[in-house]
Amino acid sequence: MNCIVFEPDEVPAPTPAAVELRGRRARHVIQVLRAQPGQRVRVGILGGLLGHAVVASVSEEKVALESIELDTEPPAAIPVTLCVALPRPKSLRRVLHAATTLGVKRIVLMESWRVDKSYWQSPLLAPEAIHSVLRLGLEQAVDTILPTVEVKRRFRPFVEDEVPALIRDTTAVVAHPGAADSMPAEMPGPMTLFVGPDRGFTPFEIDLLASTGVSARCLGSRVLRVDEAVPALLGRLLPGSSGS
Amino acid sequence: MNCIVFEPDEVPAPTPAAVELRGRRARHVIQVLRAQPGQRVRVGILGGLLGHAVVASVSEEKVALESIELDTEPPAAIPVTLCVALPRPKSLRRVLHAATTLGVKRIVLMESWRVDKSYWQSPLLAPEAIHSVLRLGLEQAVDTILPTVEVKRRFRPFVEDEVPALIRDTTAVVAHPGAADSMPAEMPGPMTLFVGPDRGFTPFEIDLLASTGVSARCLGSRVLRVDEAVPALLGRLLPGSSGS
């Protein structure tokens, strides 16, 4: 946690003077940051500004923050919409965290032939469970803007009816080991990135995506696990010097 | 597991005709691949060639493979030496797996001020534990060439005495949030990539690395967890079309 991100309803006003933390974030400040009264910590409000606060007091399981100053815009988003075949739950958590940390603001979890049907029953798909993973990603990245997460349970209607509008005015690519062309790097403009399940999209799925204008691109000849492919691809696409 | 990788001592000859699997890999073939007799599976020999085998028989916890043909060179390595401050154990496992999967062949686990001393006691640092994670990475990536893993317990002697030779004839960069310049992409030539601990290298450490010729580069303005930074950075550095 590189930043304490408050929910808007946790703070008494848009620019609160003081806030009290309990639970996970208090324990983090106490045990990991080992914060002492007087120490400055980074804070932010979900959907709002970033800034700093001063630790007023630390007691067992409770941290009081004061002198909150919110004065910094959250960092730029990466201009990538990520459409990923629903991974197994353990991997889903990592994919959501990595995408959030790397600055993706729109995530689509989609069906694919090789997505195990049981994955759709994962408790991690509950909105509050997704929210808590996304917030951890924001706390890691020092950001306050949550990504949206959409769920598309039927492959063909999604690709045929929604993808054409989704990819409009973007460079649309699907990561596919064995594709003839390489995944580009440092994309200057908006992109839509499709990532299949661990065993890959089927040839039919790749063809259907291609028919809407999504090009298959490989990242070397290696087969990556989805939770490693997503940060590898996003790190590659991240624009150059504009990011900092 | 996209490829069954044999240890050289598991197979009776350099080009064995048949092999019997038990344990983890047999369970994978039975439960995940749901292989039936007659099915072709990808195989490889550690340090040697890749190829295919045919499932001869499947019984409880045991799989017999026959008609083994080894005819393909393993994929090209990524020309990056990865020097990473020893991460916490859970993260170390992911870093080793991701680096192996993405094709790194030399990994250095190094000291840094912000590496918790307890991490050096991790059972995961035992050579056989590292070996088993690396082999999982090769099985994922369909590769047979293990990376070497070196351990450097003292920061300053390592940087002052060994880094100059290590980085010779390579582009040497350290990933450092807040650096003025961006991390390059699609490097055509050999690189040495330094990655700090989750809380970053100290300014002293960055300066000492700089004094030997290692430039600080940022990947956007976001702060990434080490286990997400490593695949993000390697995916970015991966050369273009030559990879496939």
Side-chain angles (χ1 to χ4, degrees):
Chain A
M1 186 162 68
N2 295 303
C3 177
I4 298 162
V5 178
F6 304 118
E7 305 277 344
D9 63 7
E10 279 182 308
V11 294
T15 50
V19 172
E20 201 175 85
L21 295 178
R22 293 168 183 272
R24 174 183 64 84
R25 290 171 299 166
R27 283 193 299 278
H28 183 91
V29 172
I30 296 166
Q31 293 164 11
V32 181
L33 303 184
R34 291 182 195 138
Q36 300 298 322
Q39 189 169 327
R40 260 161 68 98
V41 292
R42 272 191 288 201
V43 300
I45 294 185
L46 217 54
L49 295 172
L50 292 163
H52 287 89
V54 174
V55 175
S57 68
V58 174
S59 60
E60 213 180 307
E61 298 270 306
K62 200 171 80 179
V63 172
L65 301 177
E66 61 181 13
S67 306
I68 297 176
E69 283 179 36
L70 298 166
D71 50 14
T72 311
E73 292 290 335
I78 181 175
V80 173
T81 294
L82 175 67
C83 301
V84 60
L86 183 70
R88 65 198 164 88
K90 194 171 159 185
S91 188
L92 173 59
R93 174 181 293 276
R94 292 188 200 156
V95 164
L96 291 173
H97 191 278
T100 306
T101 302
L102 279 146
V104 172
K105 297 305 175 193
R106 184 176 183 185
I107 302 170
V108 178
L109 300 173
M110 61 184 285
E111 173 62 300
S112 154
W113 180 254
R114 292 183 181 138
V115 168
D116 192 298
K117 296 291 168 280
S118 68
Y119 298 169
W120 294 104
Q121 310 311 319
S122 167
L124 188 54
L125 283 174
E128 57 277 22
I130 289 181
H131 179 87
S132 89
V133 176
L134 302 180
R135 207 175 66 177
L136 290 175
L138 295 180
E139 290 176 348
Q140 170 65 41
V142 190
D143 190 0
T144 63
I145 310 297
L146 282 170
T148 58
V149 177
E150 296 152 73
V151 171
K152 304 293 175 184
R153 279 296 302 266
R154 295 174 64 213
F155 180 83
R156 195 164 177 162
F158 170 57
V159 175
E160 288 182 339
D161 303 339
E162 301 186 54
V163 164
L166 185 78
I167 68 174
R168 191 170 298 144
D169 300 326
T170 74
T171 303
V173 292
V174 48
H176 189 54
D181 296 320
S182 279
M183 188 59 70
E186 295 190 282
M187 286 304 297
M191 294 202 63
T192 312
L193 171 65
F194 291 81
V195 179
D198 272 326
R199 291 164 57 220
F201 282 122
T202 65
F204 167 80
E205 290 171 338
I206 292 290
D207 288 348
L208 197 67
L209 285 166
S211 74
T212 69
V214 182
S215 318
R217 300 298 183 93
C218 68
L219 189 64
S221 61
R222 292 161 183 280
V223 182
L224 306 183
R225 229 165 51 187
V226 172
D227 61 332
E228 292 169 344
V230 166
L233 291 161
L234 293 174
R236 185 174 188 81
L237 296 175
L238 207 64
S241 39
S242 70
S244 67
Chain B
M1 185 163 68
N2 296 303
C3 177
I4 298 162
V5 178
F6 304 118
E7 305 276 343
D9 62 6
E10 280 183 307
V11 294
T15 51
V19 172
E20 201 175 86
L21 294 179
R22 292 168 183 271
R24 175 182 64 83
R25 289 171 299 167
R27 283 194 299 277
H28 182 91
V29 172
I30 296 166
Q31 293 164 10
V32 181
L33 303 185
R34 291 181 194 140
Q36 299 298 321
Q39 188 169 328
R40 260 160 69 98
V41 291
R42 271 192 289 202
V43 299
I45 294 186
L46 216 53
L49 295 173
L50 291 164
H52 287 89
V54 174
V55 175
S57 67
V58 175
S59 60
E60 213 180 307
E61 298 270 306
K62 200 171 81 181
V63 172
L65 300 177
E66 62 180 13
S67 306
I68 297 176
E69 283 179 35
L70 297 166
D71 50 14
T72 311
E73 291 290 335
I78 181 175
V80 173
T81 295
L82 175 67
C83 300
V84 59
L86 183 68
R88 66 198 163 89
K90 195 170 158 188
S91 190
L92 172 60
R93 175 181 292 277
R94 292 187 200 158
V95 165
L96 291 174
H97 191 278
T100 305
T101 302
L102 279 147
V104 172
K105 297 304 176 193
R106 185 176 182 186
I107 301 169
V108 177
L109 301 173
M110 62 185 285
E111 174 61 300
S112 153
W113 179 252
R114 292 183 182 140
V115 167
D116 192 299
K117 296 292 168 279
S118 68
Y119 298 170
W120 294 104
Q121 310 310 318
S122 166
L124 188 53
L125 283 174
E128 57 276 20
I130 290 180
H131 180 86
S132 88
V133 176
L134 302 181
R135 206 175 66 178
L136 290 175
L138 295 180
E139 290 176 348
Q140 170 65 42
V142 190
D143 190 359
T144 63
I145 310 297
L146 283 170
T148 57
V149 177
E150 296 151 73
V151 171
K152 303 294 175 184
R153 281 292 305 263
R154 295 175 64 212
F155 180 84
R156 194 163 178 164
F158 170 58
V159 175
E160 289 182 338
D161 302 340
E162 301 186 52
V163 165
L166 185 80
I167 68 175
R168 191 170 299 144
D169 300 326
T170 74
T171 303
V173 292
V174 50
H176 189 53
D181 296 320
S182 279
M183 188 61 67
E186 295 191 282
M187 287 303 297
M191 293 202 63
T192 312
L193 171 65
F194 291 82
V195 179
D198 272 327
R199 291 164 56 220
F201 282 122
T202 64
F204 167 80
E205 290 170 338
I206 292 290
D207 289 346
L208 198 66
L209 284 166
S211 75
T212 69
V214 181
S215 318
R217 300 297 183 96
C218 68
L219 188 63
S221 62
R222 293 160 182 281
V223 182
L224 306 183
R225 228 165 52 186
V226 172
D227 60 332
E228 292 170 344
V230 166
L233 292 161
L234 293 174
R236 185 174 187 81
L237 296 175
L238 208 64
S241 38
S242 71
S244 66

